[in-house]
Amino acid sequence: MPQDSTGGVYVSVEQLAALESTARDLAFIQKNAVQQPLTGRHNSKMRGRGLTFEELREYLPGDDIRTIDWRVTARTNKPFVRVYSEEKERPALIVVDQRRNMFFGSQRAMKSVTAAEAAILCAWRILGSGDRVGGLVFNDQDMSQLRPHRSRESVIALAHDIATMNRALNAHMPGERGTGQLDAVLRTVANIAHHDHLVIIVSDFDGHTAETRDLILRLSVRNDVIAILVYDPFLLTLPTKGEMVVRGGSMQAELAFQQEGPRTAIGDFARSRGRELLAWQQELGLPMLPASAALETAPQLRRLLAQAAWQQRRR
């Protein structure tokens, strides 16, 4: 998305159209197990009178006689039934973090901008697949909520909410950091997505807690959940000289990178935090896709989703 002089996002018709075109070859994975049969475009493990033929098998007591294949039955002198796979609809909720911790970028873009781009790319692709799309956008104090709809207007409304919160970000924002806001938003999502939703969380997961993990686990039991972990590589490759002033709320500190102690402590913290979050991929069985704010968003997202789909097929 275009950025203004402050590093914020502004939304143009041309840019939305470009993102829509770029999003066409993205593919989202889905679980093998589905708890509820619904009508839609995604195959379920529930089998019955759906639209997609799956197999022929011998009749068993309790089978619906309407599924008997009379030609095969006449040819084999045994009753055979046609089995179809049910299909389900998978409405999507895209959760977009625009807190002040996202207002950082050392190279190409702010993390908040990368999150905005990833969210709108996902939204266009989901709509292009024929599914309903909505979302929740949040900052340190507020949250906007859009129920899933199957329309271009729903994507444009989501982009507008993201841009509004993004433009409000600045280095001198009043108030305290919303450390509990991520969990509050996930609780709201859990109250909406009871089953068979696609939930995409786009965040740096700053301030994550044990409750964050539990909420995501609860969501992933009956929904498809994808976490896009937005990060900036600066903390992973800190400079060996110079100084930086960092500010959080009313507090600020000066970091001297020429001193090995502070540099090592910051680097170790960033790497350990990253390993902890990426470990959720194995622990919770969900894709945790690391997206760098220093690189173009669309190629990363395409590659990460393809890798996640390949890993799922191997299991």
Side-chain angles (χ1 to χ4, degrees):
M1 282 183 150
Q3 300 177 62
D4 58 25
S5 59
T6 66
V9 173
Y10 64 89
V11 180
S12 68
V13 174
E14 294 79 8
Q15 186 65 13
L16 283 173
L19 287 173
E20 181 180 12
S21 177
T22 304
R24 287 174 184 161
D25 58 350
L26 299 179
F28 297 106
I29 66 172
Q30 68 184 80
K31 290 181 180 179
N32 290 325
V34 174
Q35 303 296 328
Q36 297 287 338
L38 297 175
T39 302
R41 300 170 57 89
H42 301 280
N43 289 332
S44 163
K45 293 297 281 188
M46 300 293 292
R47 300 197 298 175
R49 292 178 55 80
L51 300 178
T52 306
F53 172 74
E54 186 167 310
E55 65 177 350
L56 277 170
R57 63 164 172 79
E58 289 191 39
Y59 176 87
L60 296 173
D63 284 340
D64 189 337
I65 61 172
R66 292 175 297 176
T67 64
I68 293 177
D69 189 309
W70 295 107
R71 290 185 180 181
V72 176
T73 298
R75 189 168 61 247
T76 62
N77 290 320
K78 293 180 180 180
F80 273 78
V81 295
R82 298 176 67 87
V83 178
Y84 295 84
S85 61
E86 291 281 0
E87 293 188 336
K88 69 183 181 69
E89 185 182 51
R90 186 170 61 162
L93 287 172
I94 303 175
V95 182
V96 192
D97 189 347
Q98 293 290 293
R99 293 175 296 168
R100 71 182 66 188
N101 47 280
M102 301 290 286
F103 192 67
F104 179 80
S106 62
Q107 297 180 48
R108 186 191 75 91
M110 299 286 189
K111 291 190 293 181
S112 58
V113 173
T114 296
E117 291 173 338
I120 296 304
L121 283 167
C122 291
W124 279 130
R125 184 65 188 96
I126 291 161
L127 181 66
S129 298
D131 287 321
R132 293 181 289 139
V133 61
L136 293 92
V137 187
F138 67 100
N139 58 21
D140 292 274
Q141 285 83 35
D142 301 315
M143 174 185 69
S144 70
Q145 179 180 330
L146 292 168
R147 293 280 181 169
H149 293 283
R150 192 180 292 108
S151 68
R152 294 175 59 84
E153 288 74 18
S154 64
V155 178
I156 294 171
L158 179 62
H160 178 269
D161 284 356
I162 295 172
T164 298
M165 288 199 181
N166 187 276
R167 284 195 295 266
L169 288 170
N170 63 76
H172 304 287
M173 295 178 68
E176 297 299 319
R177 292 172 57 238
T179 53
Q181 189 75 333
L182 176 60
D183 289 349
V185 171
L186 291 178
R187 285 193 291 270
T188 300
V189 174
N191 289 330
I192 300 171
H194 297 294
H195 59 75
D196 296 334
H197 279 64
L198 171 62
V199 179
I200 301 175
I201 306 166
V202 192
S203 173
D204 66 355
F205 291 86
D206 182 68
H208 72 276
T209 64
E211 185 181 4
T212 311
R213 176 194 171 282
D214 292 343
L215 286 165
I216 293 176
L217 177 59
R218 173 183 164 191
L219 279 169
S220 65
V221 169
R222 304 192 72 179
N223 301 280
D224 296 329
V225 179
I226 296 175
I228 300 177
L229 172 60
V230 182
Y231 73 96
D232 190 282
F234 177 79
L235 292 179
L236 303 178
T237 55
L238 291 171
T240 57
K241 58 183 179 180
E243 297 176 343
M244 175 183 284
V245 176
V246 294
R247 182 174 182 269
S250 59
M251 305 292 292
Q252 70 177 33
E254 184 177 279
L255 303 177
F257 291 118
Q258 66 269 21
Q259 298 177 12
E260 184 177 354
R263 190 173 67 248
T264 301
I266 295 170
D268 289 347
F269 170 78
R271 281 185 286 272
S272 64
R273 179 178 175 274
R275 285 193 295 268
E276 178 184 353
L277 290 170
L278 291 174
W280 286 3
Q281 180 159 300
Q282 296 297 325
E283 186 180 355
L284 305 182
L286 61 88
M288 178 69 73
L289 312 182
S292 171
L295 301 173
E296 291 291 331
T297 306
Q300 287 189 88
L301 202 56
R302 190 177 300 114
R303 173 178 52 82
L304 291 166
L305 287 169
Q307 288 176 352
W310 179 79
Q311 290 169 356
Q312 185 194 41
R313 286 194 296 270
R314 291 189 64 193
R315 288 198 288 268

